[in-house]
Amino acid sequence: MKYGPTHLEIFLTRLAFFFCSRSVYKAFADRLPLTGGEKVLDFGCGMGTVAYYAAKRLHRGHLTCLDISERWLDACRRTLRKYGNVDYLLAGSPALAKEIYDVVYCHFVLHDITDDELERVIPALAGALRPGGVLAFREPLCDTDKVSLIKDLAERSGLFTRDNRITDIPMMGNALECLYIKK
Ligand SMILES: C[S@@+](CC[C@H](N)C(=O)[O-])C[C@H]1O[C@@H](n2cnc3c(N)ncnc32)[C@H](O)[C@@H]1O
């Protein structure tokens, strides 16, 4: 069964992508530590807003777009149809990817996940990284308890902070961007 967004939600997201893609999504993709040959996981890819720019940077690498919603994944396939270096995975946990990545990123995904679910998801994100690999995320700052839980779970999962910054995102407000390294 297909569940997830309505056609209207997908349409509105496409509209936002059309008007704000460079200042919102490209800006985040450009800050990912990529040299072009990495294996990367986009956890909660949605319609592929960030993936569109990340895949462009992976000339010799590969991107896996994972989402729990088949509808979002279908929309992502359409956004990225011109790329040959992408595969798609319908799953609710990074553990299901069964691969090890150089970089895993989440863009506006973790704040929507329940605290109980985060206790499983964050260690699984850390487990999907090779030693020295990077977890990057950007999440809205409005729910400070959620942000603290995410950071706490990342540290408890063997990840070390490399960078933290607050960005003011057009139409979305303040967000926290973090880079963590797996030792
Ligand atoms: C707000 S959207 C963000 C989509 C995209 N990253 C972006 O910034 O445009 C959140 C996405 O995370 C997905 N998602 C939520 N919980 C998930 C889970 N446990 N596993 C995989 N994807 C999940 C949703 O289906 C949705 O596509």
Side-chain angles (χ1 to χ4, degrees), residues 5 13 25 42-50 66-69 72 91-94 106-109 111-113 117 121:
T13 308
Y25 308 109
D42 181 332
F43 180 74
C45 59
M47 61 154 269
T49 49
V50 175
L66 180 157
D67 204 283
I68 199 168
S69 154
W72 276 130
S93 163
C106 315
H107 187 266
F108 277 75
V109 178
H111 70 284
D112 260 349
I113 297 181
E117 187 66 17
V121 164

Side-chain angles (χ1 to χ4, degrees), residues 3-158:
Y3 64 98
T6 60
H7 292 301
L8 180 65
E9 275 177 88
I10 294 176
F11 171 76
L12 292 175
T13 308
R14 282 212 185 280
L15 212 59
F17 183 58
F18 184 78
F19 285 110
C20 313
S21 64
R22 298 189 82 79
S23 55
V24 178
Y25 308 109
K26 183 174 185 299
F28 179 74
D30 283 352
R31 282 197 284 276
L32 295 172
L34 302 177
T35 56
E38 291 83 358
K39 249 173 90 172
V40 179
L41 175 67
D42 181 332
F43 180 74
C45 59
M47 61 154 269
T49 49
V50 175
Y52 181 82
Y53 294 104
K56 237 182 221 186
R57 296 187 58 199
L58 294 169
H59 325 285
R60 294 163 283 106
H62 189 84
L63 177 67
T64 298
C65 290
L66 180 157
D67 204 283
I68 199 168
S69 154
E70 200 173 344
R71 279 192 202 281
W72 276 130
L73 215 52
D74 285 346
C76 186
R77 277 192 192 91
R78 283 196 293 281
T79 307
L80 304 185
R81 60 191 174 280
K82 68 176 182 188
Y83 295 111
N85 58 346
V86 183
D87 69 350
Y88 303 90
L89 189 61
L90 181 65
S93 163
L96 298 175
K98 293 194 179 108
E99 298 273 345
I100 294 296
Y101 297 91
D102 301 299
V103 175
V104 173
Y105 69 85
C106 315
H107 187 266
F108 277 75
V109 178
L110 301 175
H111 70 284
D112 260 349
I113 297 181
T114 62
D115 292 2
D116 282 354
E117 187 66 17
L118 279 176
E119 302 257 357
R120 285 187 290 274
V121 164
I122 306 266
L125 290 171
L129 283 171
R130 66 161 171 81
V134 171
L135 170 69
F137 63 80
R138 185 197 250 176
E139 297 295 336
L141 256 181
C142 47
D143 187 346
T144 47
D145 286 347
K146 186 69 90 173
V147 167
S148 301
L149 176 65
I150 293 166
K151 293 173 76 169
D152 182 47
L153 285 169
E155 279 158 27
R156 281 199 270 140
S157 305

Side-chain angles (χ1 to χ4, degrees), residues 165-176:
R165 54 187 284 165
I166 294 174
T167 46
D168 185 16
I169 307 178
M171 298 193 309
M172 295 182 180
N174 281 342
L176 178 69

